[in-house]
Structures are given as C-alpha cells and as structure tokens.
Amino acid sequence: MWSWAAQVGRWLEVEAALARACADVGLVDRAHADAVASVCTLPSVDLERLAAETSAASTPIIPLLRQLTDGLPVEASSALHHGATSQDILDTAAMLGIRSACSIIEEDLRGMGRRLAELADQERDTVMAGRTLLQQAVPITFGLKAARWLHAVDRHLDRLRSLSFPAQLGGAAGTLAAYGEQGIDVAGRFASLLELCDATLPWHAEREILHEIVSAVTAVSGTCGRISGDLLLLAQTEVAEVVDGRAGGSSTMPHKRNLADATFAVASARLAEASAASILTGAAMGHERSAGSWQAEWVAIPRTLEAAAVAVERTRRTLEHLRLDREQMRDNLAQTYAAEPLAQALSVALGRAPARAVVDELVDLAARGHADLLELARRDARVTAAIAPQTLDDLGDPYGYLGSTSALIDRALQRWRQEKP
Amino acid sequence: MWSWAAQVGRWLEVEAALARACADVGLVDRAHADAVASVCTLPSVDLERLAAETSAASTPIIPLLRQLTDGLPVEASSALHHGATSQDILDTAAMLGIRSACSIIEEDLRGMGRRLAELADQERDTVMAGRTLLQQAVPITFGLKAARWLHAVDRHLDRLRSLSFPAQLGGAAGTLAAYGEQGIDVAGRFASLLELCDATLPWHAEREILHEIVSAVTAVSGTCGRISGDLLLLAQTEVAEVVDGRAGGSSTMPHKRNLADATFAVASARLAEASAASILTGAAMGHERSAGSWQAEWVAIPRTLEAAAVAVERTRRTLEHLRLDREQMRDNLAQTYAAEPLAQALSVALGRAPARAVVDELVDLAARGHADLLELARRDARVTAAIAPQTLDDLGDPYGYLGSTSALIDRALQRWRQEKP
Amino acid sequence: MWSWAAQVGRWLEVEAALARACADVGLVDRAHADAVASVCTLPSVDLERLAAETSAASTPIIPLLRQLTDGLPVEASSALHHGATSQDILDTAAMLGIRSACSIIEEDLRGMGRRLAELADQERDTVMAGRTLLQQAVPITFGLKAARWLHAVDRHLDRLRSLSFPAQLGGAAGTLAAYGEQGIDVAGRFASLLELCDATLPWHAEREILHEIVSAVTAVSGTCGRISGDLLLLAQTEVAEVVDGRAGGSSTMPHKRNLADATFAVASARLAEASAASILTGAAMGHERSAGSWQAEWVAIPRTLEAAAVAVERTRRTLEHLRLDREQMRDNLAQTYAAEPLAQALSVALGRAPARAVVDELVDLAARGHADLLELARRDARVTAAIAPQTLDDLGDPYGYLGSTSALIDRALQRWRQEKP
Amino acid sequence: MWSWAAQVGRWLEVEAALARACADVGLVDRAHADAVASVCTLPSVDLERLAAETSAASTPIIPLLRQLTDGLPVEASSALHHGATSQDILDTAAMLGIRSACSIIEEDLRGMGRRLAELADQERDTVMAGRTLLQQAVPITFGLKAARWLHAVDRHLDRLRSLSFPAQLGGAAGTLAAYGEQGIDVAGRFASLLELCDATLPWHAEREILHEIVSAVTAVSGTCGRISGDLLLLAQTEVAEVVDGRAGGSSTMPHKRNLADATFAVASARLAEASAASILTGAAMGHERSAGSWQAEWVAIPRTLEAAAVAVERTRRTLEHLRLDREQMRDNLAQTYAAEPLAQALSVALGRAPARAVVDELVDLAARGHADLLELARRDARVTAAIAPQTLDDLGDPYGYLGSTSALIDRALQRWRQEKP
C-alpha cells in the first residue's frame, strides 16, 4: 500500500487522470493525453533511479516527470503535468492511498464488529467482575463489555463513512491559473476520473480535511489499543479470564500465555498516535504552501495509516481467537461480590461499624486465598450467628445486581444491526 | 466557565436533575427530590471547604454530597445521588461545560466567518503575492486567501454542529444496577432534563465521544493558530501588507507593529493541542473505569476548551481590526511577478539559457532594492533590445494570471451562505 | 508556588535585583535603586487590578511597571526596569520558580529513594513473580523491583543536580544595548544577586536550557507514573500483593482497595507530559524573540512543574504507606513457578512433547484455581509415576533461580549510598 | 544504519559477544563460543525468510536463533543465546545503533559549530535588524545571531558527550538467573566486548536511559529545525538577507529562491519529535517487561534517530552554502532603525505626543516604500525645522546601539574553543 512502487504507481495514475481531464475540457489534445496516459505506467519508470533522484531533488515529481518526458513524443510533453504543481500530484495520490487504507480499516472494523456483536449476544449472562481503578467493583457481564466495545466500533464506522476524500488541484499558488477560465472544470473532471471528491477550494495550506481523517483513524486505533490493553489485563496469570486461543507458552516458560497480537496492537496504537501528531499539531505558518509541515506529511501519513491498520487487524484477530474462561470469571467475582450485601445484612444485627470490621477482615482473607467471600462468611461464627443460612445463600447471587445490563446490550445490538448497509 | 464556582454549580445542577429523573420514574419520592433540588444551589455549599476536602479526598463529589446531606432532611437524603457513581456526575457536568464552551466557540467562529466572507468578497481583486515555501510564487488575491480561511471556518462549523453531547449515567460499573428495571428510563429522563443527548450506553471507559469533540475543537484552534500565524507573517516589517489597526509601537520602539492578539492566538493554539494530547492519546488500560486517564481529563478538558476559545476569540478580533495595505501588496508582488513572462519573452530573442541569466540578475537586483522587476527590465539594454516597450508593459499585469480566483471565491461564499441557518 | 501572588512576587524580586545590579556597576544612582527595591514588594501592588490590566495589555510587566512607577519618586523611575525587556523579567522569574519547584521535587525524590533503599534491602529475599507482557515469567524478589526503582530515582537525582538555572538579561534584542560597555557586568551582577547562574549569552530565543530542565522533570514524573502504575497492577483484587495502607473500601463497595495517590500520580504524569509538549516541541521560527511559542511557556512551565511535583509527591506517599503481602506474592508465584523445571524433569521420563502436554494441562488447572502448580503435580499420577516425591519438592524452590538478584540489589544500594551528599 | 541488514548484523554481533562473554567466565566451552561467533555473520542468515518469519512470530530473535542453530554443531547450540531473553539482544543491538547514530549526529554538529564559529567571528559587525514578534526591534549583528546558534550547538555537544550507552543483559526477568553466581561477571564482560557501558542493573522496564538519549537527540533536532526555520524567514522574498547558494529558481518561477535543505530540516525536526513521543511519553504499566511500549520502541528508535540526523545534516549543509546579503541587511534595518532616537530628538522640540505622531507617520511611509526612515525624515519640514542636519545624520548609526554584542560573541567563541577536544 505504501511501498515505493505503490506510491509511484499512484502518482502515475494521477498524472494520467490530469492529462485526460485537460483533454476532456479541450485544453490539451486528446492524442497527447492518450500518449501521456500510456506512458504513465510503472514499467516506464526506473524506480531505483527515481528514488536516488528524489533524494537529490528533494521532491519525487520533478525527476518523475523527467523520466516520463523521455518516453513521450516531444509534442505530447506539454500535456503532461499541465498546469499542476507537485503538491497537486502528491496530495491527490496521498488521498487515493488514504482512501484505500481507510477502506481496509473499515473492513477490519466491520469484522471486529460482527465478532463483538456475537460476543455481546452470546455472553450477555456471563457474569464477571466489573472493575474500576483496577479493583473489582460490582458485577457486569462479558456481554456488556463486548457491547460497549461494539458500540465504539459502530460509531467509528459512522465516522469513517462520513469522511470525504478530495482531489487536490490548484497549480502553483492555488488559483488554477494555467487553465484560464476552465480551472474549475478541469478540477472537477480530474476528481471525477479518480473517483475522488471535488474540493470546493484547493487545500494546499488548509489541511483541515487531513486533520479530520487522521483524527478519525487514530481514534479507531486508540480504541483498538484500549480493547487490546483490556484483554491483556484480563489475560494476566492471576486473572486468567480470557486467553488468546493461539497462545502457547514459550519453550522455556511453559506457563506463559502471551497475547502477541494484543501486545502489538497496543504498540501500533501508540505509533499511530505519535505519527499523527506531526499532522495534527503545529499551526504551521505558511501562506499558500508551507515550508516543512507539508513535507513532514509525506512520511507521517503512511506511517499513521499503516500503524492504525495494524492496530485494528491485530485486535480483530485477538478477538477472533479469544477464549473465555467463564468459570474463572465467576470465581474471581466470588472473591468480592457478596461484600456489600453482606455488610448491609450484618449491620442490621451488629451495627454499622462492627459489621464493617467483620466484612473487612473477610475481604482480606478472600483476597489472600483467592477465595469465595461467601464461603468464608459461612464458616465465620459472627456471621452465622447473625444471618440465616438461606439468607446468606441469597446474598451471593450476582444476577440480582445486573440492572439494565441486558437492555443495554440490546440497545447496542439494535444500533449495530440498523447501521449495517 | 471553568471557575471552581462554575464547576460546582454544574455538579449541583446535575445532582438536582438526577433526583428529579428518579422521581419522574417513581424511584424516589417527589417531595424528597424537590428537597434535593432545593439544596442543590451554590449558596448551600462552602466552596473553600469543598476545595480543601476535595484535595484530601481525591474526589470532589463525596465531600460535596456530605455538605448537601447536612442541609437535607434525613428522609430525603436517599434521593440524593441515587444510584450514581461520582463519574456520572463529573462526566455529565463536564458535558454541560463543554457544550457551553463549544457554543461560545461556534459563535466566535460564525463572527469570524462573517468577517472573512466580507473580506473574500471585497478583496476579490486585491492582487498580492502567493507565497510557497516562504517565497513569492505567482499572484493570488487577498480575497482568495480570505475565502480559503472562510471555507475552513465553514467546515469547522459543520463539524461542531454535528457533535453530540451525551449525559453519563451508569452507576458503579455501568450497569445502572441500582435502578432495577428502570435504569434506561432514568438515564433517558436524566439526559432530557439537562437537554443533553441520551447515550446508547454509559461511556465511563469508552471516551470516543470525547475524542471526537476534542479533535474537532483543536482542529478549530489549529486553524486559528494558522490564520494568526499567517497574519503575523504578512505583518512583518519587511512585508507590511497587513496591520492590526490597534497596533501602536511600544514607547521605546515606535516602529513596532506587534499583533498581540495574533501572537496569543498562536500561543493558545499550542496550549490547546498540548492539553488535548492527554485526552487524545494513550490507549488507557482500564476495564470499566480507568485509573489515571480519567482523572487527567478533569484538568485537561477545561484547559483544552479554554485555550481553544482564546485562540478563536483572538483570531476573530485580529481579523476584525485588520487593515490591509493594498498598495504594498501590489508593490511587493511587482518585485517578482514579471519574472516568468519576462523569461519566456526574452528566450525567444536570446535563447533559453542567456534569457534566464538576464532574468536571474534582474531578480536579484529587484530583491536587493525591493524594486519593481519590470521597472528594472525597462532600464536594461539587453531587454529593451529584445522586447518592445508595449509588450514589456503587458508582461506586468498580474490580473492575467489569476485563473479561477474569482470563481473559487464565489464557491466558498456560496457554500458559506447556504450553510447559515 | 505558581499562584498569581507568588509569580508577581518573583517579578518584583527580579526588578529589585536589576536595579541593584545597575547601581552596583554604577549605571544608576544607589539611592534610586534602593527606592526601586523598597517599592518592589507585594503590598505595593494591587494584584487584582494587575490581573485585569495584564489581560488587556497581553503582558503583565508593562502594567506592573506602571503601578510601581506610581509609588516611586519621579527621579528614581529611570532606575526601574533599566535596560530590560519584559522577557528578561519573566524568564528570570520563571527560573526562580523552576529552581524552587525542582528543589521540592528533588527533596521528594530523595525521600522516595530512602524508602526504596529500605525496601530493596529489607525485601531482598521476598520472592514474587517476575512478570513480562503481563504474564508471570520467572521469580524475582520485591527487593530487586525496589532496587530498580531506586536506581531510576538515583539517576534522576544526578540529572536534576546537573541542571543549571540561568538568569536572563538581554534587553530588547539580546544585545544588552542599554548598558553600553557594562552589559556583561550588569548581567553577571544581576544573576549573582538572585543566586542564579550567569548565562553565557541571553537565551530569549534559544530555549535549549528549558528543554533540558523540562525533559529532566518529565522524565522524573514519567518514572513516578510508571512506579505508581505498577503498584496499581500489583494491588489489583486478583493480584493483591500490595495495598496502600490507607486504602479503605468505599462505603458502598467495602471490598475496594483503591490507591488514590497512585491513581493521581498516573494522571499527573500524563498531565506533565502533555504540558511539557508545548515547550519541548515545535521548532519555532522566531528570530530574536518568538511570536507565540514563548507566550505559551508562561502557562506551560507552571503546569508542567506542578503536575510533575504532584506525580512525585503522590508516588512517594504511596510507597511510604505501602504494605506488602509476602504470603500472597509467594502463593501467586506458586501458580506457575515450577512449570519449567517440571517440564524438564518430566521430559526425561516421558519425552519432550508428552511432558509438555502434561504441564500445559496442569498450568491451566492451576490458573483456573489460583492453585499451587506443584501441589497439583503431586496429585497427578502421570507425574508421580515419573518423578520421586523428594525431587518434586525440590522443583518448587524459587530461591534456586534468583541468579544475581542479591548482587544487583547491592549494586543499586551501593550507588545510592555513594551519591548521598 | 537502520536497514534490515544493518539491524540483523547488530543482532549477530551481540549474540557473538554473548557467547564469548559466557566463555570468558567459563560458563560455556570456548570452542562452542567460537562456533557461535563464526556462524553469527550476515551470510549465515536468509534475510528475506527472517523478515517473513519475524512478522509471523512477532519477534525477530526466535526465528533468527532457529536459522543460526541450523548452521551450528548440535553440541555448540547451548552456547548460543545462553541465558538471554530476546529483549537483551534487541536492546543491546539498539544501543549499538544509537551510539553510531549519535556519533554521526555529533560529527555533523561539530561541522555546524565550526561554520557558525566562523560566521560569528567574521560577521560580528554585520549589522542587521533584531526582530521580536516578527517585527524589527533594535539592531543586532549577524555574528551575534551565529554566536547564539553556536552556543546552542556547543551545549548540545556537551549533552551528547555526557550520554552513556549501556548494554542490556538480564535474562527472562532481569535476575541473570541462568548464570548462577556469575551473572554480573557475564554482564560486565558482555558490555566490555561490545564497548558499551556496563549498566548497574538490567533496564528492561526502566527506560530512563533511553528517555535521556532521546531527549538529547530531539533537543538537537529541535534546535536545527529552529535555525533552519529562521533561515527560511531571512530568505523570504521581501527580506532577502540570506540565500542558499545552491538555490536556483524553478524553471517556471525563475524568481524563487527555495531553501530545500532548510525546508526538509524543519520537516525532519517535526518527524523526530513525533517519533520520540512514543518513547518519551506514556508511563507504561508493565512490571518486568511491558506489553506494547517496548514493542513500539523497535520502530520509534530508528525513526527518531534517522529524522534527527537528517535535520542536523540538512541544517549544516544550509549553513555551509549560506550567502549573506549584508547590504540588504543594512537597508532593511534602515527602514526602522532611527525611529527611537528620532522620536527622542523630536520630542525635545515638539513635545512627546506631537513628536510621536510625526514618527508614526514616517514609519508607515518607510514601511510602505521599504524606504530609509532617516532619508524620509531629512525631507520632512517638521523634522528639519527641529533637528540640525548633522544631528540627524548621527541618529542613523546603528553601531552606537549594539551594546555588548561583540563581547557576547567573544564569550560564545571562547567557550566553543575551550570545548574542542
């Protein structure tokens, strides 16, 4: 996608489209435009030489044009790059690459959404500990967790679908000067040939559209990094509620269950954010075309989109291979779940403070032994003296404290299903 | 807007709305809810004590509730903060603040848009140098520059208008557990009372909506920083094409024409970006509520919105007080404008390389003396031998090379005028 | 430290020192300098009015000088702010604030170091699981973990001690023009009166020194954020190896053991990084004094130092109140520790692949039940058929696999003890 | 430097050194270590296959070891990678790469320093406008500007020289467990064979050293970005005080004087900062080795160092080819220089306010015409009525207002010359 050949290929595609657009409005001869189009193919270009010349010229377009001109009849050469500036070609080609990259990201996100919708539905009653500040709080279900992730994915898809990918054509200072009266027609035709959107104005210096795209994409990779990060936490040896079905231990540490894909998703999300920063920040002073900010984008755009795509793909793969340990989820929850109802029940008999002291003690014991808090309570004389066995049993049912969990899952699923085109 | 009193005021507003919402669905007694609402006013709160207690408790809500409870009849106290977690209050109140801040930013942006539309139209024929890589390139008009800025503002307004501001209600782990079957109704009612949007799901850990808002807002401030930065460049002593009408020299340096507002707009745009980074980046591991990322938002949200608002306001003010020096624009342009047509005309007579040598020499002379290039050409024997005086005169007309400038301005104006509600 | 009064106080201190320095080299009358010094006190200034005027003037120094001049005999007023530019005062005062802030951070870091040295030594044999990629790996001791943190603190202290805090004096464009031949003497005297370092050159536009300080400070807060983050992980309900001695459960969730200070340390480290970014990044074009970057520093410096100080203080406090659960550390480790030696021992009898299959099965069982892996092995017929009970017992001793742990702790302690002044 | 082959080459170098270190302390057989060393060469490795396997395995070291083992006698294979973890190899190899990259940067910086020292000395009397907030302020000399840049370079060289580059050896969890009693000896020997520094402790999770290096390097590239940015400002068409001697106009715009190298230096400085962010920020929770942060470094380290090196090299080249237009500097300055003395002289005759009005008017005229302010004053009747011609002439001498310029240049040169090893 962002290899040298792929990039050069897009520049050629753009130059060909420009020549055709100029012919379509009658600014250049049709035969000349055809000649340009036929030379604008990868085999016409010596890629290695171009790389070397790019480095010397500080721009790829001038040496590319030189190579193309060599293969063109002299009379056709004026149809090549007619009225354009290098940035017109580079920005338009970047948009072609961005659009493809976004469509791959979208496809992966959709796959992730399908998997999450499945998990949300199937695991809607899979009770587990809700955790806040990295401490167990009150119960949730894994289905709700999946539904929350699904909803994030769902909204990202909306956001990605709302993006537009404009062509860039402005000429040396954004006035379309070389096309006389026909500038706007050429620009419209050019965009249309490339199936890009026709920008209201050239955007050499107004990078808002890029800001919008890059924000949306890094929001996606940020979400993926967060999901993968949460899965890493759930897969910790001591938590062990999920595992990547592919995770084998290392040869030297047979007990390890590393989540390689999730780890790299976290890393890639960080890299996407970092690369994006050179696009998103730094109000560049620069009039009609900036000195420095734009050149940084040449590198930052591919890096950002590549890293984001990796974050999405690896998170999707992790979710696909995810195996839940529902029993472990329930056992982990048992360690704390009954604490609050137990404290309430005990305080009726013992008063608030003494009840709390008993519960605190039992909670610490449960933590130490990864034990079922209620099990410990049943063996505690202070508790059994105060609470009848049947009552005690009822305290341990997390299903009684799930509130709107199922309704919330339905909401997320409903929205997801509506959205599907 | 983000003062301590304003923030506490919003927390009170949110607590009152929550009590009312619970009463509306029948979960708490109406009279108790009214009692809660009546105590939820700033005079009920000792703000200084609250600040001190917040610092000790690491959260403002628990001490706030303590103060409110002191003013409530015992029987009404269960109607206070019913079923909520601190984050529900803080996030919802933050959304109220964000919505107000965004609406101020929108208002300022609209003002800026009106001014830019005026400039785009009035200055559509005000010829000046287009500049790329900080060098004069080919002519544009100031109207086109204003139109480009207008279009950026126009798109930002679209983006801001598309934002939604959801309430937050989830309870301890996002399941609305304390409301039994009625969680979704309470949440809907709660949002509606505050005129916020009803989130599909609680978003304690899913901060995508915040990412979207903060991206949009820093995109706005980034644009303002760029516009202000470009104005600073145009106002440089040696360029002197614009001036802030309010800029007087300092007492010690009577020649200075500092653009104070533009300078602070640039600074504020940087600050907005920096503050936003702690919201936008860092895929936070955190299950149902994170340890650290969310707490950083308490500070980062106000800072980002304040800085962005300053960037917008100061850019708007700079534009309102902007005075153009149209003559200077034209004189600066004269320094280079004729270079290309002159080179072409000369090369017919002298050949390409000798023509270029003459032009290079004249360009350097013009640069040195801030002189009119064509004026110099008229006094150069090599030129006058090759080109007739009348032909020479015609080379100097920048209007011949403005391409679609006026049509592009119309496009931007047309879109702007459509958009106005 | 960074309150309005504190900042104004430092500006006054700097203005007084400047007047004295000018008197010392004979440029202003001693009596006039004394008059200036005596008016440069907080009671001479109407702080609220100054705040309002600052906002209007876009700089605090001009209105401050106006207020001071009002309190000065006319003939002394030329001794005030003699030859300085606003940035001289603001930068020098910022350095005074930075130096104090750094010295508080240093003091807290030293306290943290003492606590970590204690932990490193006392817990050198406290065996626990080393964890990589959030999975148990091989054993370490808590002492080694503390030693690693200690060493980071130790190096930070070196780095902080190597910082220098220069005064700033350059005049309008950094030439010390107003002092004639005596500029360098005035600057030296000025720095010396404030006990700041005498900069080789004015650094209005060369912010390398600030970059160095801010990098060092955010490196410190980054380390503190990481330590606090690791403590949050160790304190998770399911891990429960450490607890903040002050952590009580919430009233509604008696089982919670939130680490409030650690959480805010993580948040503050993020905030410090974000604020620092507007100082550390953005190669500002700007000649002798920039338009925008410097003004952003006014806000970014206090924010960065405050946030960093909070990160350090709260991490130190968390460590001070930290309670270890050594038994739990050992139990958690027992879940996996024997896996590798068991696999090796079994493969002698069963062959590599079958041995691995048995171990994989046992590891999963141990994970599920938070059980002692060796305990499970002792009850497995395939194991007991292959390995003698005594041999099996020996496999479970983590002390045999600690390598240089103790020697590494000694290295860190030795360096720490040498460094103490 | 960071090509795939170069990276694999460093991994091989590190594996060879590890085998030798183990042999040196007697842990492995010397002959086996020699066998390892002889297979650790690029020709032993199928680079393409390794790249594919790395992508599948999510780590390069395991497939690399597989390839190496294939080429080793079975009995020697235990001498390969003995007791190490992948991170030991990758971090140590990264340090070798970083050290080389830093030494290239240092060399370029020294070259830049020599050029700047030359400029500082030769241009010490080359008067030009000092500019603040992008407005002319008071005069400086180009020599002073160069001296300020020189001093920044000088301090960067100190900072780079103070960096240390440690080897990494810790084994699976940083305890050097596999080496028994000899861990510290192996680590010391290993570092010494690679001429790296012997770290006090393994630093798998303590990335402070990397933070220090990366801060220092991005501080360098930030300075270079700033210098290049200032040169771009000085080279603007309307300022024209410097030019890149290699800058020719484009074929279509013969008047352009683009500074390609300076432009790419600005872009590269931005890219270095952005890449560095994923190393510098994000207090990674991670115990003994993190999940995600470290993997991001694999990419971020090469990117940061490459971009920084480009920023330095291109800035150095720009400075080497820099041509000053001393006459233009003087002419630009003439536009404003006399404003302050003129206002003072006039106010004696006319009073403060009327004098200021006259000066304001003349300043605006001078700006408009890029004219000499004093020249205009000589033709103004209000001025000539108030000030004698001779007095007027004296007002225009900028040399009278250079203060300590020359002494400051000497200071910078003196420090620079001392520092040279």
Side-chain angles (χ1 to χ4, degrees), chain D residues 224 258 402:
Chain D
C224 290
N258 290 337
L402 285 172

Side-chain angles (χ1 to χ4, degrees), chain D residues 192-209:
Chain D
S192 150
L193 286 169
L194 293 162
E195 296 175 53
L196 290 170
C197 144
D198 183 20
T200 305
L201 295 182
W203 44 281
H204 291 147
E206 278 70 40
R207 312 304 278 178
E208 281 77 15
I209 182 62

Side-chain angles (χ1 to χ4, degrees), chain C residues 337-361:
Chain C
Y337 169 60
E340 188 187 352
L342 183 63
Q344 287 175 346
L346 270 180
S347 62
V348 176
L350 308 180
R352 215 166 158 278
R356 178 61 184 265
V358 171
V359 171
D360 276 357
E361 197 183 300

Side-chain angles (χ1 to χ4, degrees), chain B residues 131-132 135-137 235-238 249 252 255-257 325 328 332 335 340 356 364 367-368 370, chain D residues 131-132 134-137 235-238 249 252 255-257 325 328 332 335 340 356 364 367-368 370:
Chain B
R131 294 172 175 98
T132 61
Q135 296 282 311
Q136 291 193 9
Q236 289 172 101
T237 307
E238 298 83 2
T252 52
H255 55 282
K256 287 211 92 181
R257 299 288 180 263
D325 189 333
Q328 179 88 345
N332 282 340
Q335 198 175 320
E340 188 187 352
R356 178 63 184 264
D364 285 342
R368 174 146 312 154
H370 296 290
Chain D
R131 293 171 176 98
T132 61
L134 292 173
Q135 296 281 311
Q136 290 193 9
Q236 288 172 102
T237 307
E238 298 83 3
T252 53
H255 55 282
K256 287 211 90 180
R257 299 287 181 264
D325 188 333
Q328 178 89 345
N332 283 339
Q335 198 175 320
E340 188 187 353
R356 179 63 184 263
D364 285 341
R368 175 148 309 155
H370 296 290

Side-chain angles (χ1 to χ4, degrees), chain C residues 20-301:
Chain C
R20 282 204 189 98
C22 288
D24 287 355
V25 303
L27 279 172
V28 311
D29 192 276
R30 169 69 57 195
H32 295 166
D34 289 345
V36 166
S38 72
V39 83
C40 281
T41 58
L42 274 179
S44 316
V45 181
D46 178 337
L47 287 171
E48 257 177 71
R49 180 154 66 92
L50 183 62
E53 290 166 343
T54 294
S55 170
S58 294
T59 165
I61 298 303
I62 292 172
L64 177 66
L65 293 175
R66 222 157 28 215
Q67 289 201 20
L68 295 177
T69 308
D70 291 348
L72 269 181
V74 175
E75 65 279 11
S77 70
S78 68
L80 176 63
H81 195 70
H82 183 70
T85 187
S86 298
Q87 189 171 353
D88 292 331
I89 308 307
L90 290 169
D91 278 354
T92 302
M95 271 296 156
L96 291 174
I98 290 170
R99 188 182 55 186
S100 303
C102 283
S103 112
I104 288 171
I105 288 174
E106 249 189 85
E107 188 51 43
D108 257 342
L109 263 187
R110 253 193 300 271
M112 195 187 304
R114 280 189 296 268
R115 171 64 173 147
L116 287 169
E118 193 181 82
L119 284 168
D121 204 10
Q122 288 173 359
E123 312 294 337
R124 68 166 65 224
D125 298 322
T126 305
V127 173
M128 71 186 297
R131 293 172 176 97
T132 60
L133 284 82
L134 292 174
Q135 296 282 311
Q136 290 193 9
V138 300
I140 61 167
T141 72
F142 192 83
L144 179 60
K145 198 183 271 274
R148 293 199 330 254
W149 293 343
L150 170 67
H151 184 54
V153 165
D154 205 4
R155 298 192 72 243
H156 283 310
L157 282 167
D158 291 352
R159 199 168 162 188
L160 289 178
R161 274 190 291 261
S162 78
L163 295 175
S164 63
F165 304 96
Q168 172 77 281
L169 192 64
T175 58
L176 296 157
Y179 308 118
E181 302 284 294
Q182 286 167 289
I184 285 184
D185 291 344
V186 176
R189 193 70 200 121
F190 173 64
S192 150
L193 285 169
L194 293 162
E195 296 176 52
L196 290 170
C197 144
D198 182 20
T200 306
L201 295 181
W203 44 282
H204 291 148
E206 278 71 40
R207 312 305 278 178
E208 281 76 15
I209 182 61
L210 210 57
H211 192 290
E212 204 169 333
I213 295 171
V214 164
S215 295
V217 165
T218 54
V220 170
S221 59
T223 297
C224 291
R226 197 187 66 230
I227 294 175
S228 285
D230 277 1
L231 293 173
L232 284 163
L233 287 176
L234 291 175
Q236 288 172 101
T237 308
E238 298 82 2
V239 179
E241 298 186 358
V242 305
V243 71
D244 184 327
R246 300 162 299 169
S250 69
S251 57
T252 53
M253 293 184 280
H255 55 281
K256 287 211 91 180
R257 299 287 180 265
N258 289 339
L259 272 65
D261 274 330
T263 298
F264 278 84
V266 170
S268 299
R270 284 177 71 85
L271 291 170
E273 276 164 7
S275 298
S278 57
I279 304 169
L280 296 178
T281 69
M285 305 189 194
H287 298 307
E288 279 54 71
R289 276 198 276 143
S290 78
S293 310
W294 175 61
Q295 288 77 7
E297 288 176 7
W298 299 0
V299 173
I301 289 173

Side-chain angles (χ1 to χ4, degrees), chain B residues 129 131-138 229 232-233 235-241 248-260 263 281 285 291 323 325 327-328 331-332 335-337 339-340 343 352 356 359-361 363-364 367-370 373, chain D residues 129 131-138 229 232-233 235-241 248-260 263 281 285 291 323 325 327-328 331-332 335-337 339-340 343 352 356 359-361 363-364 367-370 373:
Chain B
R131 294 172 175 98
T132 61
L133 285 84
L134 292 173
Q135 296 282 311
Q136 291 193 9
V138 300
L232 284 162
L233 287 176
Q236 289 172 101
T237 307
E238 298 83 2
V239 180
E241 299 185 357
S250 69
S251 56
T252 52
M253 293 184 280
H255 55 282
K256 287 211 92 181
R257 299 288 180 263
N258 289 338
L259 273 65
T263 298
T281 69
M285 304 190 193
R323 281 204 333 245
D325 189 333
E327 204 178 326
Q328 179 88 345
D331 287 353
N332 282 340
Q335 198 175 320
T336 66
Y337 169 61
E340 188 187 352
R352 216 168 158 276
R356 178 63 184 264
V359 172
D360 276 357
E361 198 183 300
V363 161
D364 285 342
R368 174 146 312 154
H370 296 290
L373 178 67
Chain D
R131 293 171 176 98
T132 61
L133 284 83
L134 292 173
Q135 296 281 311
Q136 290 193 9
V138 299
L232 283 162
L233 287 176
Q236 288 172 102
T237 307
E238 298 83 3
V239 180
E241 298 185 357
S250 68
S251 56
T252 53
M253 293 185 280
H255 55 282
K256 287 211 90 180
R257 299 287 181 264
N258 290 337
L259 272 63
T263 298
T281 69
M285 304 190 192
R323 281 204 331 244
D325 188 333
E327 205 178 325
Q328 178 89 345
D331 288 352
N332 283 339
Q335 198 175 320
T336 66
Y337 169 60
E340 188 187 353
R352 215 167 158 276
R356 179 63 184 263
V359 171
D360 276 356
E361 196 183 301
V363 160
D364 285 341
R368 175 148 309 155
H370 296 290
L373 178 66

Side-chain angles (χ1 to χ4, degrees), chain B residues 1-177:
Chain B
M1 173 81 69
W2 300 103
S3 68
W4 181 236
Q7 293 203 52
V8 176
R10 285 194 294 267
W11 300 332
L12 295 168
E13 183 183 353
V14 170
E15 292 283 4
L18 177 61
R20 282 203 190 99
C22 288
D24 287 355
V25 303
L27 279 173
V28 311
D29 193 277
R30 169 70 56 195
H32 296 167
D34 288 345
V36 166
S38 72
V39 83
C40 282
T41 58
L42 274 179
S44 317
V45 181
D46 178 338
L47 287 171
E48 256 178 72
R49 181 154 65 94
L50 184 61
E53 290 166 342
T54 294
S55 170
S58 293
T59 166
I61 298 304
I62 292 172
L64 177 66
L65 294 174
R66 221 154 32 210
Q67 290 201 20
L68 294 177
T69 307
D70 291 348
L72 268 181
V74 175
E75 65 280 10
S77 71
S78 67
L80 175 63
H81 197 68
H82 183 69
T85 187
S86 297
Q87 190 172 353
D88 292 331
I89 308 308
L90 291 169
D91 278 354
T92 302
M95 271 298 156
L96 291 174
I98 291 170
R99 188 182 54 185
S100 304
C102 283
S103 111
I104 288 171
I105 287 173
E106 249 189 84
E107 190 49 45
D108 256 342
L109 264 186
R110 253 193 301 271
M112 197 187 304
R114 280 189 296 269
R115 171 65 172 146
L116 287 168
E118 194 181 83
L119 285 167
D121 204 10
Q122 289 172 0
E123 312 294 337
R124 68 166 66 225
D125 299 322
T126 306
V127 174
M128 70 186 298
R131 294 172 175 98
T132 61
L133 285 84
L134 292 173
Q135 296 282 311
Q136 291 193 9
V138 300
I140 61 168
T141 72
F142 192 82
L144 179 60
K145 198 183 271 273
R148 293 199 330 255
W149 294 343
L150 170 66
H151 184 53
V153 165
D154 205 4
R155 298 193 72 243
H156 282 310
L157 281 167
D158 291 351
R159 198 169 164 188
L160 289 178
R161 275 190 290 261
S162 78
L163 294 176
S164 63
F165 304 96
Q168 171 76 282
L169 191 64
T175 59
L176 295 158

